[in-house]
Amino acid sequence: MHNYKIHPWKIIQNGWDPDKVMESESIFSIGNGSMGQRANFEEDFSGKTHQGSYVAGVYYPDKTKVGWWKNGYPKYFAKVINAPSWIGISVLIDEIPIDLNKVYKVEMLERILDMKNGLYERSISFKTKDNLKVEINSKRFISLKRKSIGAISYNIKCNRDVNITASPYIDYDISNEDSNWDEKFWETKEKINTQNRSLVKSSVKKTDFNVITFMKADLYDNNVKLENPFIAKSNSKKILLESKYSLKKGHTLKVVKFGGYVNSICNDWNKIENKTNEVLKLLENMSFESLYLEHKHEWSKIWGKSDVKIKGDIKSQQAIRFNIFQLNQTYRGDNPNLNFGPKGFTGEKYGGSTYWDTEAYCVPFCLGTKPQEVTLNLLNYRYNQLDKAIDNAKILGFKNGAALFPMVTMNGEECHNEWEITFEEIHRNNAIAYAIFNYTRYTGDSKYLNNKGLEVLVGICRFWAQRVSYSNKKKKYVILGVTGPNEYENNVNNNWYTNYSTKWCLEFAVDTISIMKKDNPESFEKLFKKLNLKESELDYWLKISKNIYLNENKDLGVFVQQDGFFDKELSEVEKLDYSDRPLNQNWSWDRILRSPYIKQADVLQGIYFFEDKFDIKSIRSNYEFYEKFTVHESSLSPCIHSIVACKLGKTESAYYLFKRASRLDLDDYNKEVNEGLHITSMAGSWLAIVEGFAGMRIKNNSLHFTPSLPKKWEELMFKITFRQNIYTIKINKGLFQCSLNINKNFYIYVNSKKLKFDRNGKASVSI
Ligand code: BGC
C-alpha cells in the first residue's frame, strides 16, 4: 500500500517504488468529463505501466469472446478506448533517453494532486552513473473550461552543461489492454505535422467515431522563449517535434505542451478540423498560466457548491474531497449522451460504460450538488435508450413493449456477456425506476415523470409482469433465476431485494398513473394511447405487487436474501483469514458461491432505498445479521451499510464503514487500484456523509436531518442544492446550523423539530 500524506486538499506521495507505478497512475488521474487520462509519465518508461488516455463517449464494439456461447448474448462489448496519447515528451540527455526504470538512482519523486485547483504536479531528481544530477518538475491539468484542451509545463534542470533532445509527441500506435481479439481499435487517417500544427486524425473501426488528437509546444530556456526550436518528424507510431539544445548547468529548459482531442458526434471531418483549427488559434493567445487561471476558477465554482468540510479528521477530509474531485472529473452533466463510467477515465475495466451505479449512487450525488438539469440529463440518457431496452428484452423473448435496460451499456445496447449477470442481474431495471422517483421527490418537478418517466416505468413493469411466475405451491408470484446485487450468488430464486424492489416499482407506476388519471385526464389518455396500455395490465401489476413472495426468517426477524440462504454454513466474516481476502482474488468461484459471504449490500440495499416501509426493529435485525456476512468486496457496499448504521445510531460502526468507502482507493482496500479508481462508489461516500452522519432525507417537500457525528469529528459542514437554493449545513457536537443563500420563508426539520429561517436566512438548533 502506498502511503499518501494526509492533507486536506492534496494527495501527496513521496518516494519511488517502480512496482507501484500503476497504482499511482490511477490515483493521480485527471479529467474534465470530456476526456481524461491516467497519470502516466511524460517521458519514456519501460517499467510496469498502463498507458491510458480516454475520450468520453467514444467506444469500440469489441466482438464478444466467451467460452460457451449462450443465446441472447450481445454480439459485442462496447469498450471505452484508449485513445492516441498527447502527453508524451521524450527526453534524451547526452543521447541517453530518460527512463526512470533504467536511471542509476532516483533520489526523489514526489507527486501532488491539488484537488482545490485541479492540478497534478510531479517532481523527480535522479542521478546517472557519471554523477549527472537531473531535476524534473512537471505540472499538468485538463481544462474544465475548454473541453478539448489539456496543458503540461515540463521543466528540466541539470548540474552540468548537457545536450538535450526534447521531443513532445503524439503517440497514435495505441491498443487496449483488454482487447478481446488483440485488435487495434483505431485507424489512423491522416497525420499533419508542421512547426505550428501537429495533429493526427483517427477513426474508430466499426463505429466510425472521428477524433483529432492535437498538440502544440513551445520551448523556453530560463523562461525565455526559443524561436522555432522544433523540427517536425514522424515515424510509424508517433509524430514528434524534435529540438536539440545545449543546456547550461543550472538553467531550466521548459517544454510547454498543449494537447487534447476534438471529436464530434456527427462524424463530420470538416467540422472537427475547423474546430481543431479554432482550438489551435486560441492557444496562440493563451499561456499555460492563463489557461490554468480559468481552469482554477471553474474548480472554485464546483467547490463552492459541493465542498464538504470535516474538522478533527484530516484523513476523512482528504478522502471526501478526493471522491468529490474524481466524480467531477468524470461527468459534468452537460451532455445526455454521456454518463458516469465506474472507472471514469482512470482505467479500462468495466468498459467505461453505464451501470445501475448511476441511478443508485450518482443520481443522488448530482441532485445534491448540481443544478437539476444535470440529473435530468442522466434520466434522459435512459429515456433515449428506451427503444433499445425494449429490443434488448425482445431478444430474450419478452414482448408487448417490455423493457430490460442493459447491465452495461454505451449506447443502450447490452454489452455484458456473463449469463448470470446479463440475463439475471435484472434488478438494474428497478434502480432506473427508483431514480425517476428520487428525482421527482427531490426536485418537486413531476414533468419528467409524467412526460417521459412513465414510459420508462411502463416498459419496466411490462418486463416484470412477464418475468415473474406464479407458484402454485406458494400461492405467490416468484422471480426465479436471478442475481441480486450480491454477485457472490448467482442464479438464485426470490432474491429479496429484486422481489421487493419489483413490488415497489409496480406500485409506484400504478400510483403515478392513477394520479395522472385524476389530475390530468388528457395526458392520461395520451399515454394510454401511445403505449397501447390497458387497465387490465395495471390491475395485473397491482395483483403481482400485492402477492409477490417476500421471504422472512421470523425467528431472526430478517428478510431472507434468497431461497436457500439459510442452508448455508453461516460462518461470519470475522472468522475469515486475512490472507483469503479479497475472496474473489483467492477463492475458486464455486467456493464463493457456496459460502455465506455477501459481496455487497443486498437486503440492506433494499432497506436503504425503501426505509420508510420498515420499522426500526426490522432495520436493526437485518443490519446486525447481514453486516456479519458482508465482505464489502464491491466498492458500492460499505457506504450503504454506513448509512443504515447511522440510522440505527451505530455511529462509530458507520464511521468505520465510511472510511472504507471513502478511502477505498487511497488505501487500496480491495487491492485493485492499479486497474483504475472506483468512481461511482465515490458518490456513495458523499451519501454516507449527507444521508448518514447528517441524516438528510426529503420528506413532504422539505429537508429533514437527524445528525450524529463520529466521535473524532469536531464539525461537519457541507452544501446542498435543494430546489434551486443552496443550503449550507454546519453540524458540531452541540449545534445544528443552516444558512440559506436567499431570504425565503422556508423550513427545515432537525430531529423532527421544525425550524424556520430568520431574516438573514439562518436557522439553528441545539442537538
Ligand atoms: C458490482 C456491481 C457494479 C459493478 C460496476 C460490480 O463489482 O457488483 O454492482 O454495478 O461492479 O461498479
Side-chain angles (χ1 to χ4, degrees):
M1 181 172 91
H2 263 308
N3 279 321
Y4 302 104
K5 272 200 189 154
I6 303 304
H7 186 287
W9 277 110
K10 291 179 179 170
I11 309 295
I12 304 168
Q13 182 195 337
N14 284 307
W16 171 236
D17 182 350
D19 291 330
K20 293 278 179 200
V21 169
M22 283 169 63
E23 279 83 340
S24 313
E25 286 174 345
S26 301
I27 293 284
F28 292 90
S29 294
I30 52 174
N32 67 355
S34 299
M35 60 170 162
Q37 52 184 230
R38 292 167 59 80
N40 302 127
F41 297 141
E42 285 88 357
E43 66 278 356
D44 298 344
F45 182 63
S46 59
K48 267 216 271 155
T49 166
H50 174 62
Q51 299 290 309
S53 189
Y54 308 93
V55 189
V58 173
Y59 64 88
Y60 177 77
D62 201 12
K63 199 171 146 238
T64 303
K65 191 176 190 176
V66 284
W68 203 268
W69 185 267
K70 303 256 182 322
N71 244 351
Y73 270 165
K75 295 195 175 59
Y76 70 88
F77 194 116
K79 284 182 177 151
V80 67
I81 18 184
N82 218 333
S85 170
W86 59 267
I87 63 155
I89 302 174
S90 95
V91 183
L92 281 74
I93 301 183
D94 292 335
E95 301 300 320
I96 300 172
I98 297 186
D99 175 348
L100 282 198
N101 202 35
K102 293 186 179 154
V103 299
Y104 177 62
K105 188 170 177 216
V106 176
E107 292 190 317
M108 185 277 273
L109 188 143
E110 182 176 66
R111 300 178 195 246
I112 301 177
L113 186 63
D114 172 352
M115 301 182 284
K116 189 171 193 174
N117 302 309
L119 184 74
Y120 166 53
E121 181 172 0
R122 179 177 60 112
S123 308
I124 334 166
S125 76
F126 63 85
K127 271 203 175 135
T128 62
K129 267 197 172 135
D130 53 356
N131 249 343
L132 167 70
K133 182 170 171 168
V134 181
E135 287 169 35
I136 296 178
N137 171 276
S138 97
K139 295 192 173 79
R140 208 198 288 178
F141 65 91
I142 297 191
S143 172
L144 276 199
K145 170 94 178 174
R146 321 251 172 203
K147 289 182 181 171
S148 329
I149 302 178
I152 301 172
S153 166
Y154 187 89
N155 299 269
I156 318 170
K157 199 158 92 178
C158 299
N159 66 346
R160 65 162 192 247
D161 293 358
V162 290
N163 289 317
I164 290 203
T165 308
S167 313
Y169 64 85
I170 294 175
D171 176 3
Y172 55 87
D173 181 42
I174 299 291
S175 41
N176 263 50
E177 269 193 357
D178 66 348
S179 161
N180 282 343
W181 307 90
D182 289 332
E183 283 173 293
K184 290 244 157 134
F185 298 164
W186 293 97
E187 196 176 319
T188 308
K189 295 284 188 187
E190 196 184 348
K191 296 163 286 177
I192 299 171
N193 196 20
T194 63
Q195 290 250 359
N196 302 317
R197 226 170 110 72
S198 304
L199 49 99
V200 177
K201 295 184 183 176
S202 324
S203 285
V204 180
K205 291 179 190 167
K206 296 189 192 164
T207 44
D208 288 339
F209 283 106
N210 292 338
V211 176
I212 290 182
T213 311
F214 68 89
M215 68 168 172
K216 179 182 178 308
D218 294 306
L219 207 61
Y220 300 78
D221 180 346
N222 270 358
N223 281 329
V224 178
K225 190 168 173 181
L226 306 178
E227 285 309 313
N228 295 327
F230 297 116
I231 298 173
K233 290 191 165 178
S234 66
N235 59 37
S236 60
K237 296 172 186 297
K238 292 173 183 165
I239 57 169
L240 47 118
L241 295 170
E242 186 184 89
S243 72
K244 289 185 181 288
Y245 194 71
S246 299
L247 184 68
K248 291 259 165 289
K249 169 183 174 181
H251 275 224
T252 299
L253 185 75
K254 174 162 76 178
V255 183
V256 174
K257 183 179 184 186
F258 304 106
Y261 306 103
V262 179
N263 63 311
S264 146
I265 298 285
C266 69
N267 292 341
D268 175 342
W269 274 121
N270 279 336
K271 224 172 158 181
I272 306 175
E273 202 164 342
N274 288 341
K275 179 86 202 299
T276 311
N277 291 341
E278 277 169 31
V279 171
L280 288 169
K281 189 133 206 290
L282 176 102
L283 287 172
E284 277 170 22
N285 300 316
M286 298 216 56
S287 61
F288 180 90
E289 288 73 22
S290 60
L291 274 170
Y292 178 51
L293 265 183
E294 45 171 52
H295 168 70
K296 260 168 75 161
H297 182 62
E298 290 301 307
W299 270 113
S300 73
K301 287 201 281 194
I302 289 181
W303 290 117
K305 283 200 179 136
S306 58
D307 191 21
V308 173
K309 290 190 183 135
I310 299 170
K311 272 197 197 154
D313 182 2
I314 306 184
K315 241 180 147 174
S316 295
Q317 174 67 82
Q318 178 185 46
I320 190 61
R321 286 200 173 123
F322 181 66
N323 289 201
I324 296 170
F325 178 72
Q326 292 295 353
L327 285 160
N328 278 286
Q329 294 205 111
T330 306
Y331 182 74
R332 302 299 309 286
D334 48 6
N335 182 344
N337 296 311
L338 299 181
N339 212 299
F340 284 93
K343 292 239 172 293
F345 303 113
T346 70
E348 284 168 23
K349 208 177 160 196
Y350 295 113
S353 320
T354 307
Y355 286 64
W356 73 300
D357 308 26
T358 293
E359 284 75 19
Y361 295 78
C362 303
V363 157
F365 169 75
C366 290
L367 283 170
T369 62
K370 312 254 166 229
Q372 86 191 41
E373 294 70 41
V374 169
T375 309
L376 258 187
N377 273 340
L378 289 173
L379 299 188
N380 276 320
Y381 178 94
R382 295 294 192 176
Y383 177 74
N384 295 339
Q385 297 179 352
L386 176 59
D387 287 344
K388 289 198 168 149
I390 292 173
D391 289 346
N392 184 31
K394 234 188 239 163
I395 295 170
L396 305 180
F398 295 85
K399 37 189 204 281
N400 184 32
L404 176 60
F405 283 89
M407 184 68 196
V408 181
T409 195
M410 266 289 180
N411 63 358
E413 290 164 15
E414 175 64 87
C415 56
H416 193 278
N417 53 48
E418 283 168 277
W419 64 269
E420 63 277 23
I421 290 178
T422 315
F423 305 147
E424 299 204 329
E425 206 174 328
I426 47 182
H427 68 79
R428 61 203 184 231
N429 254 4
N430 294 342
I432 291 167
Y434 187 78
I436 299 171
F437 159 78
N438 209 1
Y439 169 83
T440 314
R441 172 177 64 175
Y442 198 95
T443 61
D445 165 25
S446 47
K447 275 202 289 303
Y448 178 84
L449 172 64
N450 290 330
N451 293 334
K452 298 177 174 175
L454 263 179
E455 287 186 40
V456 173
L457 289 175
V458 166
I460 292 177
C461 291
R462 282 176 163 167
F463 172 80
W464 288 123
Q466 294 165 56
R467 187 59 170 76
V468 299
S469 347
Y470 187 73
S471 158
N472 261 324
K473 192 169 155 214
K474 293 190 164 70
K475 303 278 178 259
K476 289 276 179 193
Y477 289 96
V478 292
I479 307 183
L480 308 178
V482 302
T483 295
N486 167 28
E487 290 174 346
Y488 286 177
E489 295 272 7
N490 299 150
N491 197 32
V492 299
N493 295 336
N494 296 311
N495 167 255
W496 183 86
Y497 172 78
T498 307
N499 287 20
Y500 193 88
S501 57
T502 298
K503 171 188 170 65
W504 170 86
C505 174
L506 294 166
E507 272 166 12
F508 175 52
V510 174
D511 281 356
T512 311
I513 295 171
S514 318
I515 294 173
M516 188 187 230
K517 185 175 177 185
K518 203 162 95 237
D519 295 352
N520 198 344
E522 247 170 58
S523 305
F524 170 81
E525 289 296 331
K526 241 167 72 196
L527 181 83
F528 259 57
K529 231 193 211 144
K530 182 168 180 193
L531 302 179
N532 196 17
L533 199 60
K534 314 234 163 19
E535 294 274 3
S536 57
E537 275 186 279
L538 304 190
D539 294 343
Y540 184 46
W541 298 351
L542 265 190
K543 189 168 166 201
I544 299 168
S545 76
K546 286 200 175 110
N547 295 292
I548 203 157
Y549 179 63
L550 294 165
N551 197 2
E552 255 183 277
N553 179 325
K554 293 240 162 70
D555 295 338
L556 293 172
V558 301
F559 303 121
V560 180
Q561 189 178 266
Q562 75 265 339
D563 290 358
F565 185 82
F566 281 90
D567 293 335
K568 295 188 172 223
E569 272 175 39
L570 293 175
S571 167
E572 296 171 11
V573 173
E574 224 179 54
K575 300 205 180 107
L576 276 171
D577 203 275
Y578 180 75
S579 62
D580 287 335
R581 308 288 306 276
L583 299 181
N584 60 17
Q585 290 173 23
N586 293 296
W587 281 15
S588 69
W589 192 244
D590 77 297
R591 189 173 173 197
I592 291 180
L593 293 177
R594 279 182 278 122
S595 81
Y597 302 121
I598 301 170
K599 180 183 178 190
Q600 68 199 90
D602 194 304
V603 167
L604 291 182
Q605 184 79 37
I607 288 198
Y608 161 67
F609 274 161
F610 309 112
E611 68 171 15
D612 290 344
K613 314 268 184 195
F614 311 106
D615 60 37
I616 201 78
K617 191 167 162 237
S618 161
I619 298 179
R620 184 177 303 279
S621 42
N622 278 288
Y623 172 85
E624 285 172 356
F625 179 77
Y626 283 111
E627 168 59 14
K628 286 192 297 221
F629 299 102
T630 307
V631 282
H632 298 297
E633 288 177 11
S634 160
S635 61
L636 299 176
S637 187
C639 53
I640 298 300
H641 281 229
S642 177
I643 297 168
V644 179
C646 274
K647 165 119 192 139
L648 296 170
K650 296 175 182 281
T651 314
E652 293 312 306
S653 308
Y655 175 53
Y656 170 80
L657 290 157
F658 164 76
K659 279 196 288 192
R660 181 157 178 173
S662 62
R663 294 195 64 88
L664 181 92
D665 288 323
L666 289 173
D667 295 343
D668 201 9
Y669 277 98
N670 287 353
K671 299 184 191 157
E672 57 185 15
V673 74
N674 58 324
E675 294 175 349
L677 304 177
H678 297 84
I679 300 291
T680 41
S681 69
M682 293 183 176
S685 310
W686 181 89
L687 285 172
I689 289 184
V690 172
E691 297 184 359
F693 301 120
M696 187 180 97
R697 301 288 186 273
I698 314 301
K699 289 183 198 165
N700 302 323
N701 299 308
S702 300
L703 287 173
H704 289 241
F705 296 89
T706 45
S708 65
L709 299 192
K711 279 199 199 98
K712 198 164 181 196
W713 293 10
E714 289 155 22
E715 188 171 282
L716 168 67
M717 209 203 86
F718 61 93
K719 296 194 183 231
I720 278 293
T721 300
F722 179 64
R723 314 234 165 150
Q724 276 87 40
N725 298 308
I726 297 181
Y727 292 72
T728 305
I729 315 291
K730 202 195 256 188
I731 305 167
N732 53 37
K733 291 276 145 67
L735 196 63
F736 179 100
Q737 291 163 276
C738 179
S739 54
L740 193 54
N741 61 335
I742 49 160
N743 178 7
K744 276 263 170 85
N745 204 10
F746 285 166
Y747 296 94
I748 55 167
Y749 294 79
V750 179
N751 292 331
S752 306
K753 193 168 165 203
K754 190 170 177 178
L755 280 190
K756 190 172 179 309
F757 287 91
D758 66 17
R759 236 184 285 139
N760 303 317
K762 296 202 183 313
S764 66
V765 65
S766 309
I767 47 173

